[in-house]
Amino acid sequence: MRTPPRATSGRRVGSTGKTGRAGKALLSGVLAICLAGSMAMPTLPAEAAKPKPPVIPSKAAVERAKQAAASKAGQVAAIERQLAAANARLEQLGIQSGIADEAYNGAVYRLQQAQAEATAAAARAKEAEQTLAVQRQQIGRFAAASYQGGGDVAKIAPLFTANGPQDLLDSAGAARSVSAAMQGSYLRFSATQVMTNLFKVQADQAVVKVKKAADEAAKAKKAAEAAEAAQSAAVTAIGVQRTQSIAQLAVLQNTSVKVAAQRQRGLEELARQRAAALAARKAAELKRRIAAREAAERRAEAAERAREEKEAREEAKKNHGKKPPKHKPSSPGRNDDNDNGGGHSSGGDAHDAISFALKQLGDMYLWGATGPSRWDCSGLVMGAWERAGVQLPHYSAAQYEQIQHIDEDDLRPGDLIFWATNPNDPATIHHVAMYIGNGQMIHAPRTGKPVQIASVYYWIPPNFFGRP
């Protein structure tokens, strides 16, 4: 039996309805997948090219950064100034220590002078006392002789002799002679007594002067010891400060301590090189002036010899061809300034003095020392010139007093160079060195430094110059 058309139609319709619902579900799934795929797709090129907004610090932030940078730079500069000031303080303490050391030498020198004066005064007083005692005995003998032969009987006794009045006259004359002799002895005794009293007073005053000089020497010694201790303590303290400052520099400069220390050493070495270059230029100028002065002197000596020879020839003509007297050689010429062993001095051989000083190179400074392996400035000069046969005191100011004073341009090897706190007062001299030529000198600088060769101008300019 065939299915009725309506029934068939209904089944188809029903089938069609199921298919529609499934299609809808399928379509929904496809749409969901498409939507998810669209979300997972990369950004479009137009969106990728879009720039991000820049980070713009505020004006306040910029100002704070500037202040921080300036503060750091200021701290770096301040620390570098502290390091420079520390070095300058060490140098100043070294100068003060040297001044105190020479002040002690001066106090000892004055004490020695006072002791010598006291000894001489005591000797004079003793000699005068002995002379007074002899004269007192002589007057006593005169008085005894007068007493033994005196009295009225003694006066008229000659009248009873054979010669009578003549003997009386002779005895009267003798009496007058004895009286005059006694009077002369008494006057000499009185004068000697006055001088003896004066010498005793001088001896007493000399003793007081010795006591005062001894007290001053003791004070000077304490001052020198204090200056040396202060310098030593400063070296330690400034060394610690230097280490700390360099560590701070390393932090501020974002470098290692090693690099910061190397930079600081480099800066100090650069400053030293600049100072050395300036000293070398001044030394070269000194050498030029000395050479010019010596050349002028040689020309003057040559002109003088030529004049003398001309006068001798003219004199020979007047004497009908007789040979003129031999020309007396002039004083020995000065050795060239470049010869470190040359030079002439009035009291000794500068070559020996320089040779001795050069043998002490490297010996360490010690205040009050006169060798054989430790020296202070005046002790080294005293020892060097003693080897050349010249006696100098162990005190720089007294050394200048006892030698020939010269100008700077007149320096020869072996001459002495002095520094003073007052450039117009040689009594304030506190350091001495020996010139060796070529603008250089040898000296014992100060505590912590060895005997060394340096430019005449490595330090502050010298003030006085002299030749032993």
Side-chain angles (χ1 to χ4, degrees):
M1 182 177 169
R2 296 194 299 178
T3 305
R6 181 175 296 179
T8 302
S9 176
R11 285 195 296 270
R12 290 175 179 172
V13 172
S15 174
T16 303
K18 290 179 181 179
T19 303
R21 287 195 295 274
K24 289 181 182 178
L26 179 61
L27 180 60
S28 298
V30 171
L31 289 174
I33 292 171
C34 292
L35 181 59
S38 66
M39 293 176 66
M41 291 176 64
T43 306
L44 295 176
E47 294 177 350
K50 186 177 181 181
K52 293 182 179 181
V55 178
I56 303 176
S58 65
K59 291 183 177 180
V62 171
E63 187 61 30
R64 284 195 299 272
K66 288 182 178 179
Q67 291 176 356
S71 175
K72 184 180 291 187
Q75 293 177 49
V76 169
I79 292 174
E80 290 179 344
R81 286 195 299 270
Q82 289 174 3
L83 288 168
N87 292 337
R89 174 161 174 73
L90 282 178
E91 181 66 21
Q92 185 60 34
L93 284 171
I95 295 174
Q96 292 174 357
S97 177
I99 292 174
D101 295 348
E102 274 303 283
Y104 168 72
N105 288 339
V108 172
Y109 172 72
R110 287 186 290 273
L111 173 60
Q112 292 171 344
Q113 284 185 316
Q115 290 172 334
E117 291 175 4
T119 300
R124 288 194 301 268
K126 183 178 180 180
E127 183 180 358
E129 185 67 37
Q130 291 174 346
T131 302
L132 187 66
V134 171
Q135 292 177 348
R136 185 182 292 111
Q137 292 175 356
Q138 186 178 14
I139 290 177
R141 287 194 297 270
F142 276 129
S146 176
Y147 175 78
Q148 291 172 359
D152 294 338
V153 175
K155 291 179 181 179
I156 63 175
L159 295 175
F160 300 98
T161 64
N163 293 330
Q166 184 61 43
D167 288 341
L168 180 62
L169 291 175
D170 291 342
S171 64
R176 284 194 295 272
S177 297
V178 170
S179 176
M182 288 182 62
Q183 186 176 9
S185 295
Y186 181 76
L187 291 175
R188 287 193 297 274
F189 174 81
S190 299
T192 302
Q193 192 173 35
V194 171
M195 293 304 298
T196 300
N197 293 335
L198 176 61
F199 289 152
K200 285 182 178 179
V201 171
Q202 289 177 346
D204 292 340
Q205 291 175 342
V207 171
V208 173
K209 190 175 180 180
V210 168
K211 177 64 170 60
K212 182 179 178 181
D215 292 341
E216 290 178 352
K219 291 179 181 178
K221 183 178 181 180
K222 289 182 179 179
E225 290 172 343
E228 292 287 331
Q231 183 187 11
S232 178
V235 169
T236 302
I238 290 175
V240 173
Q241 177 189 348
R242 178 185 177 86
T243 301
Q244 294 174 346
S245 298
I246 288 176
Q248 292 175 4
L249 282 176
V251 173
L252 292 170
Q253 296 172 338
N254 295 324
T255 60
S256 69
V257 174
K258 181 178 179 180
V259 172
Q262 185 178 6
R263 181 178 185 277
Q264 183 61 30
R265 287 194 300 269
L267 291 173
E268 292 172 357
E269 175 61 18
L270 181 61
R272 189 199 66 78
Q273 290 177 359
R274 288 173 177 169
L278 178 61
R281 288 196 295 271
K282 290 183 177 180
E285 174 61 21
L286 172 63
K287 183 180 176 182
R288 186 197 64 77
R289 294 199 309 268
I290 291 175
R293 185 258 309 155
E294 290 181 342
E297 290 181 349
R298 286 193 295 268
R299 289 193 297 271
E301 290 175 358
E304 178 64 17
R305 285 195 299 270
R307 185 188 65 77
E308 291 175 354
E309 290 172 358
K310 181 180 179 181
E311 290 179 352
R313 288 193 299 269
E314 293 176 351
E315 186 68 21
K317 290 179 181 179
K318 293 179 181 179
N319 294 333
H320 306 290
K322 291 182 180 179
K323 290 184 178 181
K326 292 183 178 180
H327 173 71
K328 293 182 180 180
S330 59
S331 59
R334 297 174 181 175
N335 288 9
D336 183 51
D337 184 60
N338 295 332
D339 181 7
N340 289 354
H344 294 275
S345 270
S346 58
D349 189 349
H351 175 78
D352 292 338
I354 293 174
S355 296
F356 179 89
L358 291 175
K359 290 178 182 177
Q360 316 313 315
L361 284 172
D363 288 354
M364 293 304 295
Y365 179 98
L366 177 65
W367 66 280
T370 58
S373 60
R374 305 289 293 274
W375 309 87
D376 64 11
C377 65
S378 55
L380 177 65
V381 167
M382 181 183 72
W385 271 105
E386 184 178 11
R387 178 60 60 91
V390 177
Q391 298 298 321
L392 293 174
H394 183 200
Y395 178 37
S396 54
Q399 288 175 351
Y400 181 73
E401 289 176 358
Q402 297 183 17
I403 62 177
Q404 176 188 354
H405 299 169
I406 61 174
D407 293 329
E408 184 177 14
D409 295 351
D410 198 36
L411 279 171
R412 306 175 192 169
D415 289 342
L416 304 184
I417 306 170
F418 300 88
W419 286 259
T421 54
N422 182 349
N424 298 316
D425 184 6
T428 63
I429 287 174
H430 59 84
H431 188 63
V432 60
M434 182 186 296
Y435 186 67
I436 60 174
N438 291 321
Q440 292 185 314
M441 63 184 185
I442 184 170
H443 69 145
R446 60 177 173 81
T447 298
K449 298 286 186 180
V451 174
Q452 59 187 246
I453 294 174
S455 166
V456 172
Y457 303 100
Y458 92 104
W459 191 32
I460 56 178
N463 309 114
F464 300 97
F465 310 87
R467 177 168 302 136

